[in-house]
Amino acid sequence: EDKVVQSPLSLVVHEGDTVTLNCSYEVTNFRSLLWYKQEKKAPTFLFMLTSSGIEKKSGRLSSILDKKELFSILNITATQTGDSAIYLCAGVGEYGNKLVFGAGTILRVKS
Amino acid sequence: NAGVTQTPKFRILKIGQSMTLQCAQDMNHNYMYWYRQDPGMGLKLIYYSVGAGITDKGEVPNGYNVSRSTTEDFPLRLELAAPSQTSVYFCASSYRTLYNEQFFGPGTRLTVL
């Protein structure tokens, strides 16, 4: 059975801190790994990773995939209160028609 | 584009009642999905569809039914509501791609009492 495990489940940091969120996966015929940010409503797309070692970057957020060790990390530097959210990762396998989500990491940034 | 829309936003049902959660997308996506999200549990796939007339079960299909008569619409039906179906329901859609970036609707918060 495919599974995605995220850690930590939750963390609290202060503004300006750097955080690293972890995502490990076991997905049959792995195709890609996606990161989403979920604030009060629907998840919004952050990154999609398909190749090992290539860093995807958007402002203070960056992510990297290790296909050999089957994990990905999401880094957030100089955190702001607006980064407070649930961060979800999801693996895509088989024929690309389903995502398997992890339980998410709840991030709270205190001012 | 409105993207993915869902109605209603909130609903309270009594045990045994039935209802349909509506989902529509205007991006001409082939793939559509229904998820439920319980606290601390991430998103669980209920049903999905790879095109009009084609649906398949996800991880947690029991107690739900779907249909896909058009590309745009993908309603989710609850026939006999149970307290275990209290959750937030998200509809999503994506292009026909192996990499599957999904776009989510705003969600429906359902409470069954």
mmCIF file of all heavy atoms in Angstrom, chain A residues 1 31-32 34 36 38 41-43 45 48 50 86 88 92-99 101-104, chain B residues 9 31 33 35 37 40-43 45 48 50 57 59 90 97-107:
data_model
loop_
_atom_site.group_PDB
_atom_site.id
_atom_site.type_symbol
_atom_site.label_atom_id
_atom_site.label_comp_id
_atom_site.label_asym_id
_atom_site.label_seq_id
_atom_site.Cartn_x
_atom_site.Cartn_y
_atom_site.Cartn_z
ATOM 1 N N GLU A 1 0.849 -1.202 0.000
ATOM 2 C CA GLU A 1 0.000 0.000 0.000
ATOM 3 C C GLU A 1 0.884 1.252 0.000
ATOM 4 O O GLU A 1 1.809 1.361 0.783
ATOM 5 C CB GLU A 1 -0.905 -0.009 1.218
ATOM 6 C CG GLU A 1 -1.894 1.148 1.266
ATOM 7 C CD GLU A 1 -2.741 1.111 2.532
ATOM 8 O OE1 GLU A 1 -3.010 0.007 3.036
ATOM 9 O OE2 GLU A 1 -3.129 2.182 2.996
ATOM 10 N N ARG A 31 6.130 8.869 -9.616
ATOM 11 C CA ARG A 31 6.266 9.833 -10.706
ATOM 12 C C ARG A 31 6.731 11.196 -10.211
ATOM 13 O O ARG A 31 7.590 11.828 -10.815
ATOM 14 C CB ARG A 31 4.923 10.018 -11.420
ATOM 15 C CG ARG A 31 4.374 8.763 -12.038
ATOM 16 C CD ARG A 31 5.137 8.400 -13.274
ATOM 17 N NE ARG A 31 4.556 7.250 -13.945
ATOM 18 C CZ ARG A 31 5.075 6.685 -15.021
ATOM 19 N NH1 ARG A 31 6.186 7.175 -15.547
ATOM 20 N NH2 ARG A 31 4.489 5.647 -15.570
ATOM 21 N N SER A 32 6.095 11.659 -9.139
ATOM 22 C CA SER A 32 6.412 13.010 -8.687
ATOM 23 C C SER A 32 5.961 13.183 -7.245
ATOM 24 O O SER A 32 5.175 12.393 -6.718
ATOM 25 C CB SER A 32 5.735 14.059 -9.569
ATOM 26 O OG SER A 32 4.333 13.932 -9.500
ATOM 27 N N LEU A 34 4.531 16.327 -4.671
ATOM 28 C CA LEU A 34 3.970 17.673 -4.667
ATOM 29 C C LEU A 34 3.874 18.199 -3.240
ATOM 30 O O LEU A 34 3.584 17.449 -2.319
ATOM 31 C CB LEU A 34 2.568 17.682 -5.284
ATOM 32 C CG LEU A 34 2.464 17.509 -6.801
ATOM 33 C CD1 LEU A 34 2.662 16.071 -7.218
ATOM 34 C CD2 LEU A 34 1.123 18.003 -7.299
ATOM 35 N N TYR A 36 1.931 21.192 -0.944
ATOM 36 C CA TYR A 36 0.824 22.136 -0.897
ATOM 37 C C TYR A 36 0.855 22.879 0.435
ATOM 38 O O TYR A 36 1.291 22.340 1.448
ATOM 39 C CB TYR A 36 -0.526 21.417 -0.986
ATOM 40 C CG TYR A 36 -0.892 20.923 -2.364
ATOM 41 C CD1 TYR A 36 -0.433 19.702 -2.834
ATOM 42 C CD2 TYR A 36 -1.714 21.676 -3.187
ATOM 43 C CE1 TYR A 36 -0.789 19.239 -4.095
ATOM 44 C CE2 TYR A 36 -2.083 21.224 -4.447
ATOM 45 C CZ TYR A 36 -1.612 20.010 -4.891
ATOM 46 O OH TYR A 36 -1.959 19.560 -6.137
ATOM 47 N N GLN A 38 -1.816 24.736 3.050
ATOM 48 C CA GLN A 38 -3.233 24.860 3.345
ATOM 49 C C GLN A 38 -3.430 25.807 4.507
ATOM 50 O O GLN A 38 -3.040 25.515 5.630
ATOM 51 C CB GLN A 38 -3.851 23.494 3.657
ATOM 52 C CG GLN A 38 -5.343 23.549 3.864
ATOM 53 C CD GLN A 38 -5.961 22.194 4.115
ATOM 54 O OE1 GLN A 38 -5.283 21.263 4.543
ATOM 55 N NE2 GLN A 38 -7.251 22.065 3.840
ATOM 56 N N LYS A 41 -8.598 27.294 4.082
ATOM 57 C CA LYS A 41 -9.495 26.573 3.166
ATOM 58 C C LYS A 41 -8.734 25.547 2.335
ATOM 59 O O LYS A 41 -8.100 24.658 2.868
ATOM 60 C CB LYS A 41 -10.236 27.579 2.288
ATOM 61 C CG LYS A 41 -11.266 28.383 3.065
ATOM 62 C CD LYS A 41 -12.158 29.176 2.142
ATOM 63 C CE LYS A 41 -13.256 29.859 2.917
ATOM 64 N NZ LYS A 41 -14.149 30.644 2.046
ATOM 65 N N ALA A 42 -8.803 25.704 1.033
ATOM 66 C CA ALA A 42 -8.280 24.670 0.139
ATOM 67 C C ALA A 42 -6.761 24.685 0.069
ATOM 68 O O ALA A 42 -6.130 25.737 0.184
ATOM 69 C CB ALA A 42 -8.857 24.870 -1.254
ATOM 70 N N PRO A 43 -6.157 23.532 -0.130
ATOM 71 C CA PRO A 43 -4.713 23.496 -0.357
ATOM 72 C C PRO A 43 -4.341 24.257 -1.623
ATOM 73 O O PRO A 43 -5.056 24.183 -2.628
ATOM 74 C CB PRO A 43 -4.422 22.007 -0.522
ATOM 75 C CG PRO A 43 -5.567 21.290 0.118
ATOM 76 C CD PRO A 43 -6.744 22.177 -0.095
ATOM 77 N N PHE A 45 -1.128 24.956 -4.346
ATOM 78 C CA PHE A 45 0.066 24.292 -4.856
ATOM 79 C C PHE A 45 1.316 25.120 -4.592
ATOM 80 O O PHE A 45 1.340 26.337 -4.800
ATOM 81 C CB PHE A 45 -0.114 24.055 -6.348
ATOM 82 C CG PHE A 45 1.081 23.502 -7.039
ATOM 83 C CD1 PHE A 45 1.409 22.168 -6.914
ATOM 84 C CD2 PHE A 45 1.871 24.318 -7.823
ATOM 85 C CE1 PHE A 45 2.517 21.653 -7.565
ATOM 86 C CE2 PHE A 45 2.973 23.812 -8.476
ATOM 87 C CZ PHE A 45 3.297 22.474 -8.346
ATOM 88 N N MET A 48 6.265 21.053 -7.425
ATOM 89 C CA MET A 48 6.229 19.689 -7.911
ATOM 90 C C MET A 48 7.652 19.264 -8.214
ATOM 91 O O MET A 48 8.389 19.983 -8.903
ATOM 92 C CB MET A 48 5.374 19.573 -9.165
ATOM 93 C CG MET A 48 5.338 18.174 -9.748
ATOM 94 S SD MET A 48 4.004 17.984 -10.933
ATOM 95 C CE MET A 48 4.466 19.193 -12.156
ATOM 96 N N THR A 50 10.167 16.143 -9.600
ATOM 97 C CA THR A 50 10.180 14.879 -10.334
ATOM 98 C C THR A 50 11.579 14.273 -10.424
ATOM 99 O O THR A 50 11.712 13.088 -10.694
ATOM 100 C CB THR A 50 9.641 15.064 -11.758
ATOM 101 O OG1 THR A 50 10.442 16.048 -12.430
ATOM 102 C CG2 THR A 50 8.203 15.524 -11.742
ATOM 103 N N ILE A 86 -0.952 24.547 7.352
ATOM 104 C CA ILE A 86 -0.646 23.114 7.264
ATOM 105 C C ILE A 86 0.071 22.901 5.942
ATOM 106 O O ILE A 86 -0.388 23.374 4.897
ATOM 107 C CB ILE A 86 -1.923 22.259 7.298
ATOM 108 C CG1 ILE A 86 -2.694 22.498 8.593
ATOM 109 C CG2 ILE A 86 -1.578 20.778 7.150
ATOM 110 C CD1 ILE A 86 -4.071 21.831 8.595
ATOM 111 N N LEU A 88 1.266 20.156 3.283
ATOM 112 C CA LEU A 88 0.968 18.797 2.860
ATOM 113 C C LEU A 88 1.910 18.369 1.752
ATOM 114 O O LEU A 88 2.213 19.157 0.852
ATOM 115 C CB LEU A 88 -0.466 18.712 2.315
ATOM 116 C CG LEU A 88 -1.607 19.052 3.287
ATOM 117 C CD1 LEU A 88 -2.890 19.299 2.521
ATOM 118 C CD2 LEU A 88 -1.799 17.936 4.284
ATOM 119 N N VAL A 92 2.809 10.925 -6.264
ATOM 120 C CA VAL A 92 2.058 10.482 -7.438
ATOM 121 C C VAL A 92 2.719 9.227 -7.965
ATOM 122 O O VAL A 92 3.927 9.202 -8.185
ATOM 123 C CB VAL A 92 2.059 11.554 -8.545
ATOM 124 C CG1 VAL A 92 1.247 11.073 -9.753
ATOM 125 C CG2 VAL A 92 1.501 12.856 -8.018
ATOM 126 N N GLY A 93 1.932 8.189 -8.155
ATOM 127 C CA GLY A 93 2.496 6.941 -8.649
ATOM 128 C C GLY A 93 1.624 6.350 -9.731
ATOM 129 O O GLY A 93 0.795 7.040 -10.337
ATOM 130 N N GLU A 94 1.834 5.106 -10.000
ATOM 131 C CA GLU A 94 1.070 4.341 -10.985
ATOM 132 C C GLU A 94 0.965 5.129 -12.289
ATOM 133 O O GLU A 94 1.953 5.478 -12.897
ATOM 134 C CB GLU A 94 -0.307 3.981 -10.416
ATOM 135 C CG GLU A 94 -0.206 3.029 -9.244
ATOM 136 C CD GLU A 94 -1.519 2.555 -8.725
ATOM 137 O OE1 GLU A 94 -2.530 2.682 -9.440
ATOM 138 O OE2 GLU A 94 -1.547 2.069 -7.590
ATOM 139 N N TYR A 95 -0.237 5.436 -12.683
ATOM 140 C CA TYR A 95 -0.432 6.099 -13.965
ATOM 141 C C TYR A 95 -0.665 7.595 -13.821
ATOM 142 O O TYR A 95 -1.173 8.236 -14.732
ATOM 143 C CB TYR A 95 -1.578 5.443 -14.713
ATOM 144 C CG TYR A 95 -1.339 3.966 -14.887
ATOM 145 C CD1 TYR A 95 -2.010 3.038 -14.104
ATOM 146 C CD2 TYR A 95 -0.403 3.502 -15.803
ATOM 147 C CE1 TYR A 95 -1.771 1.687 -14.237
ATOM 148 C CE2 TYR A 95 -0.165 2.141 -15.945
ATOM 149 C CZ TYR A 95 -0.851 1.247 -15.162
ATOM 150 O OH TYR A 95 -0.609 -0.079 -15.295
ATOM 151 N N GLY A 96 -0.329 8.152 -12.692
ATOM 152 C CA GLY A 96 -0.440 9.590 -12.484
ATOM 153 C C GLY A 96 -1.838 10.062 -12.209
ATOM 154 O O GLY A 96 -2.112 11.255 -12.251
ATOM 155 N N ASN A 97 -2.754 9.124 -11.925
ATOM 156 C CA ASN A 97 -4.127 9.571 -11.744
ATOM 157 C C ASN A 97 -4.541 9.707 -10.285
ATOM 158 O O ASN A 97 -5.682 10.033 -10.005
ATOM 159 C CB ASN A 97 -5.087 8.645 -12.482
ATOM 160 C CG ASN A 97 -4.901 7.192 -12.056
ATOM 161 O OD1 ASN A 97 -4.085 6.904 -11.198
ATOM 162 N ND2 ASN A 97 -5.640 6.293 -12.662
ATOM 163 N N LYS A 98 -3.629 9.473 -9.346
ATOM 164 C CA LYS A 98 -3.985 9.608 -7.935
ATOM 165 C C LYS A 98 -2.836 10.200 -7.163
ATOM 166 O O LYS A 98 -1.669 9.939 -7.444
ATOM 167 C CB LYS A 98 -4.335 8.249 -7.338
ATOM 168 C CG LYS A 98 -5.654 7.689 -7.830
ATOM 169 C CD LYS A 98 -6.068 6.474 -7.029
ATOM 170 C CE LYS A 98 -5.266 5.255 -7.387
ATOM 171 N NZ LYS A 98 -5.808 4.041 -6.724
ATOM 172 N N LEU A 99 -3.191 11.001 -6.144
ATOM 173 C CA LEU A 99 -2.208 11.497 -5.188
ATOM 174 C C LEU A 99 -2.406 10.767 -3.874
ATOM 175 O O LEU A 99 -3.534 10.507 -3.458
ATOM 176 C CB LEU A 99 -2.410 12.994 -4.937
ATOM 177 C CG LEU A 99 -1.599 13.986 -5.756
ATOM 178 C CD1 LEU A 99 -1.959 13.908 -7.208
ATOM 179 C CD2 LEU A 99 -1.801 15.393 -5.222
ATOM 180 N N PHE A 101 -1.626 11.475 -0.043
ATOM 181 C CA PHE A 101 -1.234 12.580 0.831
ATOM 182 C C PHE A 101 -0.700 12.091 2.159
ATOM 183 O O PHE A 101 -1.163 11.086 2.711
ATOM 184 C CB PHE A 101 -2.438 13.484 1.104
ATOM 185 C CG PHE A 101 -2.736 14.454 0.005
ATOM 186 C CD1 PHE A 101 -3.566 14.096 -1.044
ATOM 187 C CD2 PHE A 101 -2.170 15.719 0.014
ATOM 188 C CE1 PHE A 101 -3.837 14.993 -2.071
ATOM 189 C CE2 PHE A 101 -2.440 16.620 -1.005
ATOM 190 C CZ PHE A 101 -3.266 16.256 -2.054
ATOM 191 N N GLY A 102 0.251 12.841 2.684
ATOM 192 C CA GLY A 102 0.640 12.674 4.064
ATOM 193 C C GLY A 102 -0.349 13.395 4.969
ATOM 194 O O GLY A 102 -1.241 14.105 4.502
ATOM 195 N N ALA A 103 -0.173 13.216 6.284
ATOM 196 C CA ALA A 103 -1.093 13.818 7.250
ATOM 197 C C ALA A 103 -0.881 15.314 7.409
ATOM 198 O O ALA A 103 -1.745 16.012 7.934
ATOM 199 C CB ALA A 103 -0.968 13.123 8.600
ATOM 200 N N GLY A 104 0.258 15.796 6.956
ATOM 201 C CA GLY A 104 0.520 17.226 7.038
ATOM 202 C C GLY A 104 1.369 17.610 8.239
ATOM 203 O O GLY A 104 1.431 16.886 9.234
ATOM 204 N N LYS B 9 -21.190 25.445 1.102
ATOM 205 C CA LYS B 9 -19.993 25.638 1.907
ATOM 206 C C LYS B 9 -20.115 24.902 3.241
ATOM 207 O O LYS B 9 -19.136 24.397 3.784
ATOM 208 C CB LYS B 9 -19.766 27.121 2.175
ATOM 209 C CG LYS B 9 -19.380 27.905 0.936
ATOM 210 C CD LYS B 9 -19.096 29.354 1.286
ATOM 211 C CE LYS B 9 -18.729 30.133 0.027
ATOM 212 N NZ LYS B 9 -18.478 31.559 0.308
ATOM 213 N N TYR B 31 -9.332 15.082 -15.258
ATOM 214 C CA TYR B 31 -9.357 14.359 -13.988
ATOM 215 C C TYR B 31 -10.070 15.174 -12.918
ATOM 216 O O TYR B 31 -9.823 16.373 -12.773
ATOM 217 C CB TYR B 31 -7.936 14.084 -13.494
ATOM 218 C CG TYR B 31 -7.142 13.081 -14.282
ATOM 219 C CD1 TYR B 31 -7.552 12.620 -15.512
ATOM 220 C CD2 TYR B 31 -5.939 12.596 -13.781
ATOM 221 C CE1 TYR B 31 -6.803 11.708 -16.223
ATOM 222 C CE2 TYR B 31 -5.180 11.670 -14.484
ATOM 223 C CZ TYR B 31 -5.628 11.232 -15.708
ATOM 224 O OH TYR B 31 -4.880 10.322 -16.403
ATOM 225 N N TYR B 33 -11.567 14.747 -8.625
ATOM 226 C CA TYR B 33 -11.351 13.967 -7.418
ATOM 227 C C TYR B 33 -12.240 14.480 -6.284
ATOM 228 O O TYR B 33 -12.521 15.673 -6.210
ATOM 229 C CB TYR B 33 -9.898 14.100 -6.938
ATOM 230 C CG TYR B 33 -8.878 13.779 -7.993
ATOM 231 C CD1 TYR B 33 -8.521 14.719 -8.951
ATOM 232 C CD2 TYR B 33 -8.269 12.533 -8.028
ATOM 233 C CE1 TYR B 33 -7.588 14.417 -9.926
ATOM 234 C CE2 TYR B 33 -7.330 12.224 -8.995
ATOM 235 C CZ TYR B 33 -6.996 13.173 -9.951
ATOM 236 O OH TYR B 33 -6.084 12.872 -10.911
ATOM 237 N N TYR B 35 -12.042 14.322 -2.050
ATOM 238 C CA TYR B 35 -11.298 13.970 -0.854
ATOM 239 C C TYR B 35 -12.123 14.336 0.371
ATOM 240 O O TYR B 35 -12.940 15.250 0.345
ATOM 241 C CB TYR B 35 -9.989 14.776 -0.762
ATOM 242 C CG TYR B 35 -8.976 14.488 -1.823
ATOM 243 C CD1 TYR B 35 -8.940 15.230 -2.992
ATOM 244 C CD2 TYR B 35 -8.010 13.504 -1.644
ATOM 245 C CE1 TYR B 35 -7.982 14.988 -3.962
ATOM 246 C CE2 TYR B 35 -7.043 13.256 -2.610
ATOM 247 C CZ TYR B 35 -7.044 14.004 -3.763
ATOM 248 O OH TYR B 35 -6.082 13.764 -4.717
ATOM 249 N N GLN B 37 -11.201 15.367 4.492
ATOM 250 C CA GLN B 37 -10.097 15.722 5.379
ATOM 251 C C GLN B 37 -10.614 15.758 6.803
ATOM 252 O O GLN B 37 -11.434 16.592 7.159
ATOM 253 C CB GLN B 37 -9.478 17.070 4.996
ATOM 254 C CG GLN B 37 -8.237 17.394 5.814
ATOM 255 C CD GLN B 37 -7.573 18.686 5.374
ATOM 256 O OE1 GLN B 37 -8.232 19.640 4.987
ATOM 257 N NE2 GLN B 37 -6.240 18.721 5.419
ATOM 258 N N GLY B 40 -5.925 16.131 11.505
ATOM 259 C CA GLY B 40 -4.705 15.352 11.692
ATOM 260 C C GLY B 40 -4.563 14.151 10.783
ATOM 261 O O GLY B 40 -3.667 13.326 10.979
ATOM 262 N N MET B 41 -5.439 14.046 9.778
ATOM 263 C CA MET B 41 -5.423 12.835 8.953
ATOM 264 C C MET B 41 -5.062 13.117 7.503
ATOM 265 O O MET B 41 -5.107 12.220 6.684
ATOM 266 C CB MET B 41 -6.802 12.153 9.003
ATOM 267 C CG MET B 41 -7.200 11.697 10.370
ATOM 268 S SD MET B 41 -6.118 10.405 10.993
ATOM 269 C CE MET B 41 -6.610 9.039 9.962
ATOM 270 N N GLY B 42 -4.734 14.324 7.160
ATOM 271 C CA GLY B 42 -4.430 14.607 5.760
ATOM 272 C C GLY B 42 -5.670 14.455 4.894
ATOM 273 O O GLY B 42 -6.800 14.505 5.362
ATOM 274 N N LEU B 43 -5.466 14.242 3.625
ATOM 275 C CA LEU B 43 -6.558 14.113 2.660
ATOM 276 C C LEU B 43 -6.684 12.660 2.230
ATOM 277 O O LEU B 43 -5.701 12.032 1.834
ATOM 278 C CB LEU B 43 -6.282 14.983 1.435
ATOM 279 C CG LEU B 43 -6.382 16.488 1.665
ATOM 280 C CD1 LEU B 43 -5.573 17.241 0.635
ATOM 281 C CD2 LEU B 43 -7.833 16.923 1.601
ATOM 282 N N LEU B 45 -8.594 10.044 -0.376
ATOM 283 C CA LEU B 45 -9.309 10.029 -1.647
ATOM 284 C C LEU B 45 -10.555 9.156 -1.546
ATOM 285 O O LEU B 45 -10.477 7.992 -1.149
ATOM 286 C CB LEU B 45 -8.383 9.508 -2.747
ATOM 287 C CG LEU B 45 -8.948 9.466 -4.150
ATOM 288 C CD1 LEU B 45 -9.251 10.878 -4.654
ATOM 289 C CD2 LEU B 45 -7.973 8.766 -5.091
ATOM 290 N N TYR B 48 -12.551 9.118 -7.729
ATOM 291 C CA TYR B 48 -11.970 9.976 -8.736
ATOM 292 C C TYR B 48 -12.521 9.602 -10.112
ATOM 293 O O TYR B 48 -13.156 8.546 -10.290
ATOM 294 C CB TYR B 48 -10.442 9.920 -8.721
ATOM 295 C CG TYR B 48 -9.834 8.608 -9.152
ATOM 296 C CD1 TYR B 48 -9.322 8.454 -10.442
ATOM 297 C CD2 TYR B 48 -9.728 7.543 -8.262
ATOM 298 C CE1 TYR B 48 -8.746 7.262 -10.834
ATOM 299 C CE2 TYR B 48 -9.156 6.349 -8.645
ATOM 300 C CZ TYR B 48 -8.658 6.213 -9.930
ATOM 301 O OH TYR B 48 -8.079 5.029 -10.316
ATOM 302 N N VAL B 50 -11.453 9.936 -14.419
ATOM 303 C CA VAL B 50 -10.449 10.319 -15.418
ATOM 304 C C VAL B 50 -11.105 10.886 -16.678
ATOM 305 O O VAL B 50 -10.395 11.207 -17.641
ATOM 306 C CB VAL B 50 -9.514 9.149 -15.766
ATOM 307 C CG1 VAL B 50 -8.781 8.677 -14.520
ATOM 308 C CG2 VAL B 50 -10.274 8.003 -16.401
ATOM 309 N N LYS B 57 -13.081 3.988 -7.517
ATOM 310 C CA LYS B 57 -12.995 4.164 -6.076
ATOM 311 C C LYS B 57 -11.596 4.587 -5.665
ATOM 312 O O LYS B 57 -10.605 4.183 -6.248
ATOM 313 C CB LYS B 57 -13.347 2.848 -5.380
ATOM 314 C CG LYS B 57 -14.782 2.404 -5.592
ATOM 315 C CD LYS B 57 -15.046 1.062 -4.911
ATOM 316 C CE LYS B 57 -16.479 0.625 -5.143
ATOM 317 N NZ LYS B 57 -16.755 -0.701 -4.516
ATOM 318 N N GLU B 59 -9.553 5.560 -1.749
ATOM 319 C CA GLU B 59 -9.161 4.872 -0.515
ATOM 320 C C GLU B 59 -10.332 4.613 0.415
ATOM 321 O O GLU B 59 -10.385 3.611 1.122
ATOM 322 C CB GLU B 59 -8.130 5.766 0.185
ATOM 323 C CG GLU B 59 -7.326 5.122 1.269
ATOM 324 C CD GLU B 59 -6.296 6.098 1.830
ATOM 325 O OE1 GLU B 59 -6.078 7.183 1.238
ATOM 326 O OE2 GLU B 59 -5.709 5.798 2.869
ATOM 327 N N PHE B 90 -13.269 18.076 -0.031
ATOM 328 C CA PHE B 90 -12.646 18.883 -1.083
ATOM 329 C C PHE B 90 -12.780 18.175 -2.422
ATOM 330 O O PHE B 90 -12.548 16.975 -2.531
ATOM 331 C CB PHE B 90 -11.163 19.103 -0.810
ATOM 332 C CG PHE B 90 -10.885 20.040 0.322
ATOM 333 C CD1 PHE B 90 -10.520 19.561 1.568
ATOM 334 C CD2 PHE B 90 -10.983 21.413 0.141
ATOM 335 C CE1 PHE B 90 -10.264 20.422 2.621
ATOM 336 C CE2 PHE B 90 -10.727 22.289 1.181
ATOM 337 C CZ PHE B 90 -10.368 21.789 2.420
ATOM 338 N N THR B 97 -2.239 14.306 -16.999
ATOM 339 C CA THR B 97 -0.791 14.328 -16.943
ATOM 340 C C THR B 97 -0.315 13.279 -15.962
ATOM 341 O O THR B 97 -1.012 12.942 -15.018
ATOM 342 C CB THR B 97 -0.270 15.711 -16.501
ATOM 343 O OG1 THR B 97 1.131 15.619 -16.241
ATOM 344 C CG2 THR B 97 -0.952 16.176 -15.241
ATOM 345 N N LEU B 98 0.879 12.802 -16.194
ATOM 346 C CA LEU B 98 1.453 11.838 -15.271
ATOM 347 C C LEU B 98 1.862 12.483 -13.960
ATOM 348 O O LEU B 98 2.086 11.800 -12.983
ATOM 349 C CB LEU B 98 2.661 11.162 -15.907
ATOM 350 C CG LEU B 98 2.367 10.148 -17.021
ATOM 351 C CD1 LEU B 98 3.664 9.653 -17.621
ATOM 352 C CD2 LEU B 98 1.539 9.002 -16.494
ATOM 353 N N TYR B 99 2.001 13.810 -13.946
ATOM 354 C CA TYR B 99 2.569 14.462 -12.779
ATOM 355 C C TYR B 99 1.538 15.078 -11.864
ATOM 356 O O TYR B 99 1.821 15.349 -10.718
ATOM 357 C CB TYR B 99 3.603 15.501 -13.230
ATOM 358 C CG TYR B 99 4.662 14.840 -14.065
ATOM 359 C CD1 TYR B 99 4.696 15.006 -15.440
ATOM 360 C CD2 TYR B 99 5.591 14.002 -13.475
ATOM 361 C CE1 TYR B 99 5.653 14.364 -16.204
ATOM 362 C CE2 TYR B 99 6.555 13.368 -14.231
ATOM 363 C CZ TYR B 99 6.577 13.550 -15.597
ATOM 364 O OH TYR B 99 7.522 12.910 -16.345
ATOM 365 N N ASN B 100 0.376 15.354 -12.392
ATOM 366 C CA ASN B 100 -0.822 15.526 -11.590
ATOM 367 C C ASN B 100 -0.818 16.647 -10.563
ATOM 368 O O ASN B 100 -1.026 16.422 -9.377
ATOM 369 C CB ASN B 100 -1.155 14.211 -10.872
ATOM 370 C CG ASN B 100 -2.635 14.116 -10.572
ATOM 371 O OD1 ASN B 100 -3.288 15.119 -10.346
ATOM 372 N ND2 ASN B 100 -3.170 12.926 -10.570
ATOM 373 N N GLU B 101 -0.565 17.884 -10.988
ATOM 374 C CA GLU B 101 -0.804 19.015 -10.103
ATOM 375 C C GLU B 101 -2.309 19.218 -10.027
ATOM 376 O O GLU B 101 -2.964 19.455 -11.041
ATOM 377 C CB GLU B 101 -0.142 20.277 -10.637
ATOM 378 C CG GLU B 101 -0.460 21.507 -9.810
ATOM 379 C CD GLU B 101 -0.046 22.769 -10.518
ATOM 380 O OE1 GLU B 101 0.782 22.707 -11.437
ATOM 381 O OE2 GLU B 101 -0.581 23.832 -10.146
ATOM 382 N N GLN B 102 -2.854 19.123 -8.835
ATOM 383 C CA GLN B 102 -4.291 19.236 -8.666
ATOM 384 C C GLN B 102 -4.682 20.606 -8.142
ATOM 385 O O GLN B 102 -3.978 21.197 -7.331
ATOM 386 C CB GLN B 102 -4.804 18.150 -7.715
ATOM 387 C CG GLN B 102 -4.637 16.758 -8.291
ATOM 388 C CD GLN B 102 -5.218 15.678 -7.419
ATOM 389 O OE1 GLN B 102 -5.843 15.940 -6.405
ATOM 390 N NE2 GLN B 102 -5.028 14.424 -7.841
ATOM 391 N N PHE B 103 -5.809 21.092 -8.598
ATOM 392 C CA PHE B 103 -6.368 22.363 -8.166
ATOM 393 C C PHE B 103 -7.591 22.054 -7.316
ATOM 394 O O PHE B 103 -8.468 21.304 -7.736
ATOM 395 C CB PHE B 103 -6.769 23.202 -9.375
ATOM 396 C CG PHE B 103 -5.612 23.543 -10.263
ATOM 397 C CD1 PHE B 103 -5.175 22.650 -11.230
ATOM 398 C CD2 PHE B 103 -4.952 24.753 -10.133
ATOM 399 C CE1 PHE B 103 -4.099 22.952 -12.053
ATOM 400 C CE2 PHE B 103 -3.885 25.070 -10.953
ATOM 401 C CZ PHE B 103 -3.449 24.171 -11.910
ATOM 402 N N PHE B 104 -7.649 22.684 -6.155
ATOM 403 C CA PHE B 104 -8.684 22.351 -5.186
ATOM 404 C C PHE B 104 -9.778 23.400 -5.125
ATOM 405 O O PHE B 104 -9.532 24.601 -5.284
ATOM 406 C CB PHE B 104 -8.062 22.200 -3.791
ATOM 407 C CG PHE B 104 -7.301 20.922 -3.621
ATOM 408 C CD1 PHE B 104 -6.013 20.790 -4.097
ATOM 409 C CD2 PHE B 104 -7.886 19.837 -2.985
ATOM 410 C CE1 PHE B 104 -5.310 19.605 -3.955
ATOM 411 C CE2 PHE B 104 -7.199 18.642 -2.837
ATOM 412 C CZ PHE B 104 -5.904 18.532 -3.327
ATOM 413 N N GLY B 105 -10.984 22.925 -4.835
ATOM 414 C CA GLY B 105 -12.088 23.812 -4.516
ATOM 415 C C GLY B 105 -12.001 24.269 -3.080
ATOM 416 O O GLY B 105 -11.153 23.798 -2.319
ATOM 417 N N PRO B 106 -12.910 25.175 -2.660
ATOM 418 C CA PRO B 106 -12.843 25.762 -1.318
ATOM 419 C C PRO B 106 -13.301 24.837 -0.201
ATOM 420 O O PRO B 106 -13.104 25.146 0.965
ATOM 421 C CB PRO B 106 -13.751 26.980 -1.424
ATOM 422 C CG PRO B 106 -14.721 26.615 -2.500
ATOM 423 C CD PRO B 106 -13.966 25.781 -3.480
ATOM 424 N N GLY B 107 -13.923 23.711 -0.540
ATOM 425 C CA GLY B 107 -14.326 22.763 0.487
ATOM 426 C C GLY B 107 -15.763 22.923 0.941
ATOM 427 O O GLY B 107 -16.354 24.002 0.834
#
